[in-house]
Amino acid sequence: MSRPMGDSHKRFLQTLMSNGIISSIQAKALHRHCCETHGAHYSADRLDEFIDVINANLQPMFMYIRKGMSEEDGVQYYALVNTAETDITRMSSDYADNELELFRKTMDLIVDSENGAASSTDVLNCADSLQTKKMKKKETELVLNKFVQDKWLNEKQGVYTLSTRCIIEMEQYMRLIYQDLIKVCHVCHNVAIQSQICENPTCGIQMHLPCVAIYFKGRSDPLCPACNQFWAHEIPEISQSQSGRSQSQSSPAALAPTPSTSSTRRSRRS
Ligand SMILES: [Zn+2]
Ligand SMILES: [Zn+2]
């Protein structure tokens, strides 16, 4: 029998659920905040154990809190994964059928691409051919904005990529749907969507940009870690914000508010 969750664990879980995803810096601050609020024993280096207690209690519901890395800057994040869902059904209560179809098509474009990204032009074009219900350009843009706001997609200058939340929560779905198209990073062994690929056709390993940056740091002549041939890509510079020095997001107040545990005792099942 697993250790039951205390109010501190419940608060942590609720805050994570209402935010969708939190960075490891936020998780550390939230851990402290939850323990202090509920008078629970707090030890800064016990976050993993704290999350293990939550995960043991979530297991019968086929859910668990999982850590993953941002493909853009290497920062670690936590999100809640449902292991029973092998479709994007976890989004279905928030989106209409044609919006979900648009999301799937955007994901297809991104996974099929060389660089793990899709231009807004390509996404807008596929909105024309939705089978559920076509979308006009304006409507498509609004829906895409909603995907970004809800942290399913990232957008930079008209280019869409899969968000960290999407990759953490949808990994199982993506492996099922795209199978061999989904590669893992040679360094961290997580799914690699935005990555560099070894140019040697008999090798072709992939590495995340932050993993490339860390792996080749201080090496003047970058060689592929698998085939030893020259790594013919620009080595990205990644800021070391994952070391946890950034203060801007460290306050639990920056997270979406969580109602006090007493008022949310109601069962969420409906
Ligand atoms: Zn990696
Ligand atoms: Zn290689």
Side-chain angles (χ1 to χ4, degrees), residues 198 200 203 205 224 227:
C198 177
N200 175 359
C203 175
I205 61 139
C224 171
C227 70

Side-chain angles (χ1 to χ4, degrees), residues 4-19:
M5 288 200 285
D7 285 341
S8 56
H9 299 101
K10 288 176 191 166
R11 178 177 287 256
F12 186 95
L13 179 60
Q14 284 171 350
T15 309
L16 175 61
M17 285 169 84
S18 54
N19 282 274

Side-chain angles (χ1 to χ4, degrees), residues 180 183-186 196-207 216 223-233:
D180 293 346
K183 304 277 193 254
V184 296
C185 171
H186 189 82
Q196 293 183 348
I197 304 172
C198 177
E199 303 259 289
N200 175 359
T202 60
C203 175
I205 61 139
Q206 294 190 208
M207 291 199 273
F216 290 127
L223 301 177
C224 171
C227 70
N228 244 14
Q229 292 208 15
F230 181 66
W231 191 260
H233 296 280

Side-chain angles (χ1 to χ4, degrees), residues 177-241:
I177 297 298
Y178 303 112
Q179 305 210 350
D180 293 346
L181 274 176
I182 299 292
K183 304 277 193 254
V184 296
C185 171
H186 189 82
V187 176
C188 72
H189 308 292
N190 288 309
V191 165
I193 308 292
Q194 283 184 76
S195 55
Q196 293 183 348
I197 304 172
C198 177
E199 303 259 289
N200 175 359
T202 60
C203 175
I205 61 139
Q206 294 190 208
M207 291 199 273
H208 292 119
L209 305 183
C211 294
V212 167
I214 292 166
Y215 186 81
F216 290 127
K217 200 170 177 219
R219 297 185 203 208
S220 52
D221 193 19
L223 301 177
C224 171
C227 70
N228 244 14
Q229 292 208 15
F230 181 66
W231 191 260
H233 296 280
E234 197 187 321
I235 309 301
E237 292 261 341
I238 302 285
S239 69
Q240 293 297 299
S241 52

